[in-house]
Amino acid sequence: MITLHEMAETDEGWLEVVQSLIRVIPLEDPLGPAVITLLLDECPLPTKDALQKLTEILNLSGAAACLDACHPAKHRNTTAVLGCLAEKLAGPASIGLLSPGILEYLLHSLNFQSHPTVMLFALIALEKFAQTSENKMTVSESCISDQLILLEKWTDNPDYLKRQVGFCAQWSLDNLFLKEGRQFTYEKVDLTNIRAMLNSNDVSEYLKISPHGLEARCDASSFESVRCTFCVDSGVWYYEVTVITSGVMQIGWATKDSKFLNHEGYGIGDDEYSCAYDGCRQLIWYNARSKPHSHPCWKEGGVALSCLL
């Protein structure tokens, strides 16, 4: 990490690091997007000249999104890099990065011809760009909501990768790119038979929670956490979690004394008041220390994690 940081001190070195991330990180590795985020966070902020040069090197456009469709790793990594940079570079730098070519590239990546993981990270990148109000207006004027309406239908798709796309599309329609005449999802969701859900009042700041309160995801570079609306203090208790992604998560039990320090990377299992299971890195966490377990890595939709207290 120190070596990469030193390399990225110069514009040429930073460009080499970014191009390597796009070229090298494999599609199948669930840690891939996390590695891109981690390395770009550790690198110094790029100069205006470096960003301009990167835009020229990538030469992105709507046509570029259609090329190499049978090799989605490059496009997934490119969209992940753009999302990370958009999150790091607020204001004028983010506005400058969202060139017409890059906007066209991201919008074309949302087409059904694209690999679902490319669609997912293109959507997340557009989300990150929209953190700057001028970019939000630019993206909204592209009629993105019409495509999101189609992608929203994937929220309950049996293909868990498409389901992630559907979740993010619905979240964007409810929170960012509003569609005139569309009813907010939380206004029409049926909560009749739900007795416990993720607590939207007991959550760190950047976690996305579904309208029915049973699903959550994090697309921020920080480590976000949430507790449940249901508290227990005696007896035997059990719950199950369906894993929608194969990425880094810590799932378990936490008391009210457990602190959510998202920007410092502290979540469930990272203090003495909580413990957690991590099926991506194959670790069990307690008090910010981990020990390995021998269970196979979890895969999206393939494992129901069972927690017994």
Side-chain angles (χ1 to χ4, degrees):
M1 294 291 284
I2 293 169
T3 303
L4 282 168
H5 189 281
E6 288 174 352
M7 284 176 60
E9 290 282 358
T10 65
D11 285 1
E12 295 77 14
W14 183 83
L15 288 165
E16 284 294 338
V17 170
V18 172
Q19 289 178 87
S20 296
L21 292 175
I22 291 172
R23 188 172 60 247
V24 170
I25 301 222
L27 188 73
E28 302 76 22
D29 193 328
L31 278 169
V35 167
I36 291 173
T37 302
L38 181 67
L39 293 183
L40 284 179
D41 269 354
E42 285 297 315
C43 286
L45 283 172
T47 64
K48 187 176 179 181
D49 288 344
L51 284 175
Q52 180 62 38
K53 184 69 175 172
L54 179 66
T55 304
E56 293 169 7
I57 291 169
L58 294 178
N59 192 27
L60 297 177
S61 64
C66 303
L67 295 173
D68 300 325
C70 56
H71 300 98
K74 174 186 172 185
H75 292 299
R76 193 281 307 268
N77 295 342
T78 300
T79 51
V81 163
L82 290 172
C84 289
L85 292 176
E87 189 171 28
K88 283 170 70 76
L89 305 168
S94 178
I95 295 167
L97 182 60
L98 190 64
S99 64
I102 285 178
L103 177 60
E104 191 181 73
Y105 172 79
L106 291 172
L107 292 171
H108 271 71
S109 296
L110 298 181
N111 290 335
F112 289 104
Q113 291 78 14
S114 300
H115 191 286
T117 194
V118 177
M119 299 169 79
L120 176 64
F121 283 93
L123 185 46
I124 293 167
L126 288 163
E127 224 178 80
K128 304 295 188 191
F129 276 112
Q131 289 174 357
T132 300
S133 56
E134 192 170 322
N135 281 343
K136 182 178 178 181
M137 192 178 299
T138 302
V139 176
S140 298
E141 288 170 353
S142 70
C143 300
I144 186 177
S145 55
D146 293 336
Q147 181 64 12
L148 295 183
I149 291 284
L150 300 175
L151 296 178
E152 182 186 21
K153 296 174 182 176
W154 281 359
T155 47
D156 295 313
N157 198 292
D159 180 326
Y160 281 84
L161 194 48
K162 290 182 177 179
R163 180 168 167 168
Q164 292 178 58
V165 176
F167 181 102
C168 288
Q170 185 178 82
W171 189 90
S172 289
L173 284 166
D174 284 334
N175 294 278
L176 282 179
F177 309 120
L178 311 186
K179 174 76 173 172
E180 190 175 349
R182 175 187 175 272
Q183 188 179 12
F184 290 113
T185 315
Y186 65 83
E187 294 176 337
K188 57 185 180 182
V189 68
D190 182 9
L191 303 177
T192 308
N193 296 316
I194 297 177
R195 294 190 297 163
M197 62 177 69
L198 300 172
N199 192 344
S200 58
N201 295 315
D202 192 5
V203 60
S204 54
E205 57 198 315
Y206 299 122
L207 199 72
K208 300 173 187 170
I209 299 178
S210 66
H212 51 56
L214 299 179
E215 194 170 325
R217 71 175 284 120
C218 172
D219 291 310
S221 57
S222 47
F223 201 85
E224 304 299 310
S225 303
V226 62
R227 270 179 287 251
C228 178
T229 55
F230 197 80
C231 181
V232 301
D233 57 11
S234 65
V236 178
W237 295 89
Y238 169 86
Y239 73 90
E240 288 185 347
V241 176
T242 300
V243 179
I244 308 296
T245 85
S246 55
V248 177
M249 293 172 281
Q250 292 170 204
I251 301 172
W253 300 94
T255 72
K256 287 292 286 182
D257 290 323
S258 181
K259 300 289 189 294
F260 298 159
L261 302 173
N262 52 340
H263 294 294
E264 296 170 37
Y266 279 77
I268 307 303
D270 294 325
D271 58 29
E272 67 267 39
Y273 304 109
S274 61
C275 59
Y277 180 94
D278 180 344
C280 179
R281 294 171 291 183
Q282 294 173 287
L283 299 169
I284 291 173
W285 292 90
Y286 168 69
N287 203 13
R289 295 189 178 92
S290 64
K291 62 178 183 179
H293 62 73
S294 57
H295 303 163
C297 293
W298 55 27
K299 291 180 169 47
E300 60 268 8
V303 177
L305 177 65
S306 306
C307 297
L308 177 71
L309 177 65

